[in-house]
Amino acid sequence: MAEDLIRYDVLAQEALRGLVKKVLMEVAQAGLPGEHHFFVTFNTQYAGVRISSRLMAEYPGEMTVVLQHQFWDLTVTDSAFEVGLSFKGVPEKLHVPLRAITSFVDPHASFALKFDVAADAVAEGAADGAEAGVAETPAAEAAPTPIAAAEAGKKVGGRKSAAKDPKEKAGEPGKAAVVSLDAFRKKNV
């Protein structure tokens, strides 16, 4: 197989993280439109993530937050977002680098993205290593993959709601479903 010197996988992740950033910026400025809401899953161990020690103990690897009715002070920068949320009645402020996000789901729009945070770290390390003259190690499966709405969500009270952990809905724990882009194309009737 030919070596991908352009690194399309990394470029695609960056572009789709830009989409997430743009959506979050718009929500920070104007609020959530209509019935849109988001399930944002992130790696709690990723460098730059700031959450309380209580939340870190409860979510030592990955955490999903819901941006729907009760969140406040959403701010978005070029590299991270911060948001206030309540956990079991206790208000918390979270700081999450965009590169720590492992999935972004908007059940209302049947839209979902899955990111490979480990590949980001490898790509970032490779870029740092390239500057230092160290050879790059390509990351496997680094491209973000769409998650089918059926995999990421389920019907709850007549409305779609994403599962707490979309990976659990994929069949195998820790494995996400890979769906062909044809699944998202409009079909001629």
Side-chain angles (χ1 to χ4, degrees):
M1 178 149 81
E3 184 180 358
D4 176 9
L5 298 175
I6 295 176
R7 295 302 311 263
Y8 288 107
D9 56 341
V10 174
L11 294 172
Q13 283 213 88
E14 288 176 14
L16 290 172
R17 284 192 195 283
L19 177 145
V20 171
K21 179 178 82 171
K22 181 171 177 47
V23 168
L24 291 176
M25 284 179 143
E26 289 177 8
V27 169
Q29 292 174 354
L32 284 166
E35 295 295 315
H36 289 276
H37 57 287
F38 313 127
F39 288 77
V40 182
T41 303
F42 62 94
N43 181 329
T44 58
Q45 299 296 319
Y46 195 89
V49 169
R50 290 193 306 263
I51 61 175
S52 70
S53 56
R54 175 178 76 96
L55 290 178
M56 184 63 78
E58 193 168 341
Y59 303 97
E62 205 169 59
M63 178 179 187
T64 298
V65 295
V66 180
L67 302 182
Q68 187 172 14
H69 298 298
Q70 298 180 356
F71 68 93
W72 58 90
D73 296 336
L74 176 62
T75 57
V76 184
T77 66
D78 283 339
S79 61
F81 75 93
E82 286 188 355
V83 66
L85 291 165
S86 182
F87 297 88
K88 298 178 184 170
V90 178
E92 302 269 0
K93 185 79 165 189
L94 286 69
H95 176 89
V96 180
L98 295 172
R99 288 180 175 246
I101 296 172
T102 58
S103 73
F104 178 86
V105 179
D106 180 346
H108 179 71
S110 297
F111 180 80
L113 294 173
K114 179 120 183 98
F115 298 98
D116 185 349
V117 172
D120 267 353
V122 170
E124 197 171 277
D128 293 344
E131 290 172 9
V134 177
E136 180 175 334
T137 306
E141 299 295 323
T145 56
I147 303 171
E151 298 296 330
K154 60 182 179 179
K155 283 283 196 185
V156 177
R159 288 187 0 183
K160 285 190 121 176
S161 173
K164 283 292 182 194
D165 185 356
K167 290 179 191 174
E168 292 175 5
K169 301 293 283 178
E172 279 185 61
K175 298 286 183 185
V178 177
V179 178
S180 167
L181 291 178
D182 290 336
F184 297 97
R185 291 193 177 114
K186 291 187 178 184
K187 308 225 184 317
N188 294 334
V189 181

